[in-house]
Amino acid sequence: MRKRLLLVLPVLLGAALVPADQPPAAQAAAVPSPATQVAKLTGPGSINDTEARFALKATDLGILWDNGAGEILTAFGDSYGSGWTGPGGGVGDPATIDWRCNLLFRSKDRNLADGMALDSAAEDRPGHAKQFLDCQKVDRVEHTVIPTGGIAVGNRQYVQYMSVNYWGPAGSWFTNYSGFAYSDDNGETWTKDPKARWQNTKQWDNNFQMVALVRDKGYVYMIGTPNGRFGNAHLARVPEKLVLSKSAWRYWDGRTWSPRESAAVPIAIGPVSEVSVQWNEHVGKWLMMYLDESRASVVLRSSESLTGPWSGEQVVVKGKDFPGLYGTYMHPWSSGEDLYFTMSQWDPYNVYLMHTKLTDDGQVTNLVTDPGFEEQTGSTPAPPWQLNGRGGIDAANLGHSGARNAFVRDSIGTHQVQQSVAVRPHHRYRLSAWMRTAENNRETMIGVRTLRGKEIAQKTGGAHKDYEKVSVEFNSGRESLIQLYAGFFGHGQDVWLQLDDVVLEEVK
């Protein structure tokens, strides 16, 4: 049976929105983000008037979870009152900025088409949303404490938070640890459990410093990433009655659930940040949404299992349309083809409700991101693709399909286009691509290697006068991250190779 591929519907319709007389490069740049903005949720001019009702002028994140009692709980990160001037966090008069490291709101709104009403907040006095998790506010000790995920188990609410030591360069921050806090009164009061913590390493690279939380079949799962925006995603789980027992957590090692945290292998290759995961009944798959910092875009992956394989990224929101975007969290009450999610923007440092549509085209689950190079807007391959040697991107309808394809061209040596992908260890895969070459191309290649450069599988051949599909199968062995590639080796004559429609699929 063929697997299904999750698609963001407006991607399929985008070309119809662009005047036909524009060149291909202009068309690609003009295709808008598949997602649209529904409403501003916080700050001045928002549908919730949070400044007047809760002394909240600026905030970020907007982590959503169902409390199990007919409400959505929403946790925000660093938040500010009337003294905030913006743009960005922490800007304004320190005496009146009214900095709170985190806030918690509640919503019963099920009509998301016009936004999400915030009905109440955890308050320390009437009209003032309170900081619900304490933080020291001391740089290089504990600058802030920010929630990264939330979930309900029975009548108890859990929040996973990160203790931020200090902020680094753009996209980088450094955490002391991540931990769980719990509430038994629907978020009014919270207790941090000092034993339910994941201490960061001296190298600042612990894999569970920021997490998404989901429940499935009696377990709570953590999809974790390191601090900052550049790590891979990893997976852990625990029986739902033992969330606060750190020793009860087990980590996915590619084959089984290990008690060793160090055994966890990546389930999705980075850069993954501020990740949100939920089951979607409409497509019958798990969805993973996050910011890909290298592409300045919010992206979506899908999988039939939390352990993977996860599909390649599909762009949902482009940074060129919403500058400074980050922090996207799917709304648990999204239904049918409508997917709603919160999204933050650094300027004006507020949270918005966004919307996109999902569809299913019945194709295989492709683990390659941008397989047809249609999201490439420049003349040189950009992430997640890399160029090894000399080549670029054709944007003149020279591909097997669509307007774009990659190419390599030179006279001598190895020249390849490549991409790194997360796979499941000890599973079989098929890599295929459409190639066209110069008639004098004597040695073409398609293959897979480890990130250390060790060959796993390679298929070589000669020239392909017209586009031909070339495939190679392999077993991933112990590897959870691999690099796929295609290209040629030149022997002294000017040769070229065009590449398009690359597919990496699991073979059952």
Side-chain angles (χ1 to χ4, degrees), residues 60-61 77-78 101-102 144-148 160-164 167:
D60 73 340
L61 300 186
D78 285 317
C101 295
N102 44 75
T144 187
V145 169
I146 296 179
T148 70
Q160 201 272 5
Y161 63 92
M162 60 177 175
S163 168
V164 177
W167 299 107

Side-chain angles (χ1 to χ4, degrees), residues 63 65 73 75 104 132-133 145-152 157-162 179-183 190-192 196 211 213 243-244:
I63 296 157
W65 74 96
L73 299 189
L104 187 82
F132 72 96
L133 296 175
V145 169
I146 296 179
T148 70
I151 201 165
Q157 309 299 319
Y158 292 98
V159 157
Q160 201 272 5
Y161 63 92
M162 60 177 175
F180 277 96
Y182 64 91
S183 172
W190 292 81
T191 300
K192 291 180 180 177
V211 310
L213 299 171
V243 170
L244 299 177

Side-chain angles (χ1 to χ4, degrees), residues 384-399:
W385 290 105
Q386 302 96 36
L387 178 63
N388 178 11
R390 297 184 64 184
I393 300 294
D394 286 323
N397 296 299
L398 299 175

Side-chain angles (χ1 to χ4, degrees), residues 219-234:
Y219 289 91
V220 170
Y221 290 81
M222 280 198 305
I223 299 86
T225 64
N227 48 213
R229 292 185 172 146
F230 301 100
N232 300 321
H234 296 73

Side-chain angles (χ1 to χ4, degrees), residues 31-48:
V31 173
S33 297
T36 57
Q37 188 181 106
V38 178
K40 186 180 183 184
L41 299 183
T42 63
S46 69
I47 62 171
N48 290 297

Side-chain angles (χ1 to χ4, degrees), residues 34-105:
T36 57
Q37 188 181 106
V38 178
K40 186 180 183 184
L41 299 183
T42 63
S46 69
I47 62 171
N48 290 297
D49 195 14
T50 58
E51 184 175 12
R53 295 172 62 207
F54 304 108
L56 173 61
K57 192 175 182 181
T59 190
D60 73 340
L61 300 186
I63 296 157
L64 307 169
W65 74 96
D66 189 324
N67 72 352
E71 289 181 313
I72 294 295
L73 299 189
T74 306
F76 296 108
D78 285 317
S79 303
Y80 306 95
S82 60
W84 174 87
T85 57
V91 182
D93 181 358
T96 60
I97 199 170
D98 192 13
W99 174 21
R100 287 150 284 176
C101 295
N102 44 75
L103 300 175
L104 187 82
F105 284 75

